[in-house]
Amino acid sequence: RFDPFGADQAEAMLRPDDPKVLAVGERIYSEQCASCHGDRLQGQPEWRTRGTDGLLPAPPHDAGGHTWHHPDEMLFRITKFGVASIVGDPGYKTSMPAYGGRLSDDEIIAVLSWIKAQWPAQVRQKHDQMNAQAAEAARP
């Protein structure tokens, strides 16, 4: 079983080159994510502007969005625990649910891996470099 926070963790936890992981991730994305983030990862219109409800629309996960600007561990934590846990404000309002009670860690890794697999090679390379830098900064 994959342990995303285990001592043997590589610099990156996502596996965008593993066909079995991607098949699971694609299914989960379609079932759980596409209704808000789009079937082509395009997000919702005007995703940077809060709506009348005060909430930000779902951002894109394609190369034009900001998802790839965050290392794997942060993407995992946002998905599992919710945005409020990352921003440090338990009252932070968002439409994005925390998926820790809906998806296993492996399923979260799978869907994030599938998202990453859709990015162009140069974006994936930049994301890999970001993961390496984050891993280096986390070492004692």
Side-chain angles (χ1 to χ4, degrees), residues 34-45:
S35 63
C36 293
H37 292 283
D39 59 352
R40 294 179 322 281
L41 308 172
Q42 74 272 19
Q44 294 176 329

Side-chain angles (χ1 to χ4, degrees), residues 28-127:
I28 294 168
Y29 183 87
S30 177
E31 293 170 357
Q32 299 286 330
C33 313
S35 63
C36 293
H37 292 283
D39 59 352
R40 294 179 322 281
L41 308 172
Q42 74 272 19
Q44 294 176 329
E46 313 248 353
W47 62 274
R48 294 180 188 196
T49 304
R50 292 192 183 276
T52 56
D53 59 4
L55 303 177
L56 288 168
H61 290 314
D62 61 14
H66 63 82
T67 305
W68 66 271
H69 294 209
H70 304 296
D72 291 357
E73 185 174 351
M74 180 178 282
L75 295 175
F76 178 86
R77 289 182 183 277
I78 288 170
T79 307
K80 182 171 182 167
F81 302 114
V83 178
S85 70
I86 296 299
V87 299
D89 177 3
Y92 183 84
K93 302 290 186 214
T94 178
S95 297
M96 170 80 178
Y99 279 88
R102 297 181 190 191
L103 300 174
S104 70
D105 289 358
D106 290 340
E107 290 172 322
I108 292 170
I109 296 294
V111 73
L112 292 171
S113 295
W114 183 81
I115 289 169
K116 182 171 181 170
Q118 310 312 302
W119 300 337
Q122 71 272 18
V123 170
R124 286 178 60 176
Q125 182 178 24
K126 287 179 184 179
H127 190 252

